[in-house]
Amino acid sequence: MTRLYESRKRILVTGGAGFLGSHLTDRLLTEGHEIVCVDNLFTGTKRNIEHLRNHQRFEFLRHDVTFPLFVEVDEIYNLACPASPIHYQHDPVQTTKTSVHGAINMLGLAKRLRCKILQASTSEVYGDPEVHPQREDYWGRVNPIGIRSCYDEGKRCAETLFFDYHRQHGLKIKVARIFNTYGPRMHPADGRVVSNFIVQALKGDSITVYGDGSQTRSFCYVDDLVDGVVRLMDSPDDVTGPVNLGNPVEFTIADLANKIAKLTGSAAALRSMPLPIDDPKQRRPDIGLAQKMLGWQPKTMLDDGLLPTIKYFRDVIRG
Ligand SMILES: NC(=O)c1ccc[n+]([C@@H]2O[C@H](COP(=O)([O-])OP(=O)(O)OC[C@H]3O[C@@H](n4cnc5c(N)ncnc54)[C@H](O)[C@@H]3O)[C@@H](O)[C@H]2O)c1
């Protein structure tokens, strides 16, 4: 899209070389904006943004958000943070720092620039919930000292900081609580259920199902999610969130495994393993608020989203 210079925004995307960040960057570039992508490449990769190397409106800055950053931008999307348990548990102290110091640094930048800032929060703020589906007014049930706490409590503290900057400094904030999202450019070794199952099926390994496979999850395709995030950023100033963004259609893990086996044409058997500690048994967003405030709901059916995702992983495995 060509856009008049005056309506073009210079937008900072932290975590822009990651799975969601790179798709968000593509979308914002398509809308004619200018992107400053900041990433320390911990879980993100230059491959995700390789196609943008010579794009005139794209700039990459290798930087760790736990340190202050000074750039001139009109809007900030704060996505920097490892999202999968394998990666965020690798260095839990750094994970908490990324969420908390990262939020302080980005909020400080937004305060100085008087610009809007959006936080990529997570359904993990609900912990192992006692209510289903989860609505934004549910405060959650999170273990503060477990192995997932560096991520869950880090993200909860980041939300607190966002709302305190809003109340104390009048900052324009947006908080998206993102539920399980999948699609091309997910890290093949991140241990998340969709990538795990697809990679195992494509390699002809058995598909590892934790527990009896009756725990449920909902899966949102990345294009839908990015659309929700952009709508939230573009919503009126009084819409701060938190807003749930995810797909409310629930599947059991066993259903997902069977679907992936079928779509990949794999004859791999399902193999049962013990459930990880603090693994939630059920997770499903109530997206009533997003429907009402943003006119948003996911459009992509699971099979339709799995096909391009499987194609992506097939290419990755082939090298
Ligand atoms: N994918 C999901 O299902 C999901 C669900 C809920 C929330 N989220 C949130 O969305 C955001 C993006 O998730 P994703 O799935 O794209 O994960 P990802 O790991 O692919 O992307 C995160 C990016 O942040 C970068 N990063 C990590 N620590 C950093 C630091 N200290 N400084 C600078 N960059 C840093 C990584 O290198 C990576 O590129 C995360 O904040 C995550 O918590 C994602």
Side-chain angles (χ1 to χ4, degrees):
M1 174 181 171
T2 46
R3 185 179 271 278
L4 288 176
Y5 186 74
E6 307 85 75
S7 72
R8 182 189 292 175
K9 285 182 273 193
R10 188 168 153 80
I11 301 176
L12 169 61
V13 179
T14 76
F19 161 50
L20 296 183
S22 61
H23 284 278
L24 174 64
T25 295
D26 285 344
R27 160 77 186 256
L28 295 170
L29 284 169
T30 308
E31 287 183 3
H33 299 297
E34 216 177 298
I35 301 299
V36 181
C37 164
V38 162
D39 204 296
N40 69 351
L41 301 180
F42 171 47
T43 50
T45 144
K46 282 195 178 164
R47 200 175 51 237
N48 288 342
I49 47 171
E50 179 64 26
H51 59 292
L52 304 174
R53 197 151 50 126
N54 296 319
H55 198 297
Q56 289 204 330
R57 286 181 278 111
F58 177 79
E59 217 176 294
F60 174 70
L61 215 61
R62 188 164 184 165
H63 173 82
D64 182 328
V65 294
T66 63
F67 296 97
L69 175 71
F70 298 98
V71 287
E72 301 296 322
V73 290
D74 304 306
E75 263 175 15
I76 302 172
Y77 287 85
N78 188 35
L79 273 69
C81 186
S84 73
I86 287 181
H87 291 130
Y88 70 65
Q89 287 164 11
H90 169 74
D91 185 348
V93 173
Q94 171 69 8
T95 299
T96 304
K97 278 188 185 171
T98 296
S99 276
V100 177
H101 292 194
I104 291 171
N105 287 328
M106 291 310 121
L107 286 161
L109 179 64
K111 181 174 167 236
R112 185 172 71 81
L113 299 171
R114 304 302 306 166
C115 76
K116 252 195 287 189
I117 177 165
L118 180 145
Q119 167 69 356
S121 190
T122 169
S123 56
E124 300 292 337
V125 299
Y126 298 123
D128 191 358
E130 306 105 319
V131 299
H132 297 284
Q134 290 84 49
R135 268 184 18 177
E136 291 84 349
D137 54 6
Y138 174 58
W139 290 355
R141 187 165 77 114
V142 176
N143 174 0
I145 57 166
I147 56 169
R148 300 172 75 107
S149 312
C150 57
Y151 183 72
D152 303 4
E153 295 290 26
K155 288 285 188 180
R156 285 169 69 95
C157 183
E159 286 199 9
T160 307
L161 284 161
F162 267 68
F163 278 86
D164 282 335
Y165 267 78
H166 174 63
R167 283 183 290 256
Q168 196 175 332
H169 300 297
L171 213 66
K172 293 175 190 165
I173 61 154
K174 309 280 177 187
V175 174
R177 287 190 181 150
I178 301 171
F179 284 65
N180 239 338
T181 302
Y182 70 98
R185 301 192 197 145
M186 288 180 87
H187 198 296
D190 70 3
R192 282 191 273 187
V193 64
V194 174
S195 46
N196 245 8
F197 286 1
I198 295 178
V199 171
Q200 288 171 335
L202 290 175
K203 287 184 169 171
D205 298 339
S206 47
I207 299 181
T208 317
V209 174
Y210 293 101
D212 63 3
S214 64
Q215 68 275 35
T216 63
R217 293 289 185 277
S218 56
F219 305 100
C220 187
Y221 188 59
V222 61
D223 291 355
D224 287 334
L225 192 278
V226 164
D227 185 52
V229 167
V230 172
R231 280 174 190 244
L232 176 58
M233 181 61 110
D234 294 345
S235 62
D237 290 349
D238 61 338
V239 180
T240 57
V243 179
N244 288 339
L245 295 177
N247 195 321
V249 181
E250 242 173 329
F251 291 89
T252 68
I253 293 296
D255 283 342
L256 177 74
N258 289 320
K259 220 177 238 306
I260 288 176
K262 193 169 148 223
L263 291 173
T264 51
S266 162
L270 306 195
R271 184 161 57 103
S272 185
M273 296 275 281
L275 268 181
I277 299 167
D278 289 344
D279 196 51
K281 284 157 210 69
Q282 194 183 15
R283 195 52 85 51
R284 175 159 77 95
D286 179 320
I287 58 162
L289 192 62
Q291 284 171 316
K292 186 167 153 232
M293 306 302 285
L294 313 177
W296 176 86
Q297 65 180 35
K299 297 191 187 102
T300 313
M301 307 291 283
L302 185 57
D303 285 34
D304 296 339
L306 284 175
L307 287 171
T309 313
I310 290 169
K311 181 187 175 308
Y312 167 78
F313 281 114
R314 196 168 264 136
D315 293 345
V316 168
I317 289 168
R318 281 192 192 132

